[in-house]
């Protein structure tokens, strides 16, 4: 038989888990939108040519790789996933792409 306190604790744990899950979904949605903005600003083509450079290598498209890169870079730079991060991400993405372009020519 369960006690009332045990049931309340279980409910609180479930609610906290659901809130954390919801927060993660929102974070991923914002990161994807940031990546879409970066792709538009830098005219990154569709396709998969940048998957190995920007992503983990298992993404299906340049945009998916850019989402991975955006998530990693936000954490690396200690930035919140919001529109104020765009200039910082854009500068870092341009540096990353220039480094890739420079390496591909040598």
């Amino acid at each position: 038989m369960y006690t009332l306190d045990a049931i309340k604790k279980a409910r609180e744990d479930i609610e906290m888990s659901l809130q954390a899950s919801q927060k993660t979904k929102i974070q991923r949605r914002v990161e994807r939108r940031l990546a879409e903005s970066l792709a538009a600003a830098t005219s990154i083509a569709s396709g998969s040519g940048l998957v190995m450079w920007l992503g983990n290598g298992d993404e299906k498209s340049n945009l998916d790789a850019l989402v991975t890169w955006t998530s990693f870079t936000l954490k690396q730079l200690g930035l919140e996933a919001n529109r104020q991060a765009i200039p910082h991400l854009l500068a870092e993405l341009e540096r990353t792409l220039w480094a890739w372009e420079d390496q591909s020519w040598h």
Side-chain angles (χ1 to χ4, degrees), residues 65-80:
L66 189 54
V67 172
T68 298
W69 179 90
T70 299
S71 177
F72 173 78
T73 304
L74 285 168
K75 290 173 190 159
Q76 184 179 29
L77 298 177
L79 298 171
E80 294 288 323

Side-chain angles (χ1 to χ4, degrees), residues 52-72:
M52 294 302 291
W53 189 255
L54 294 178
N56 293 325
D58 60 349
E59 295 86 358
K60 294 182 180 183
S61 68
N62 287 343
L63 180 58
D64 291 341
L66 189 54
V67 172
T68 298
W69 179 90
T70 299
S71 177
F72 173 78

Side-chain angles (χ1 to χ4, degrees), residues 3-73:
T3 66
L4 186 55
D5 287 339
I7 293 171
K8 286 181 182 179
K9 176 67 173 142
R11 179 183 172 156
E12 289 171 5
D13 290 346
I14 291 169
E15 287 175 354
M16 287 178 57
S17 177
L18 289 173
Q19 289 171 356
S21 176
Q22 185 66 17
K23 186 177 179 181
T24 300
K25 285 181 184 180
I26 291 169
Q27 175 82 11
R28 288 192 178 139
R29 189 178 317 128
V30 172
E31 288 171 356
R32 182 161 191 90
R33 288 186 178 148
L34 286 170
E36 289 170 348
S37 297
L38 294 170
T42 57
S43 300
I44 290 179
S46 60
S48 60
L50 296 174
V51 167
M52 294 302 291
W53 189 255
L54 294 178
N56 293 325
D58 60 349
E59 295 86 358
K60 294 182 180 183
S61 68
N62 287 343
L63 180 58
D64 291 341
L66 189 54
V67 172
T68 298
W69 179 90
T70 299
S71 177
F72 173 78
T73 304

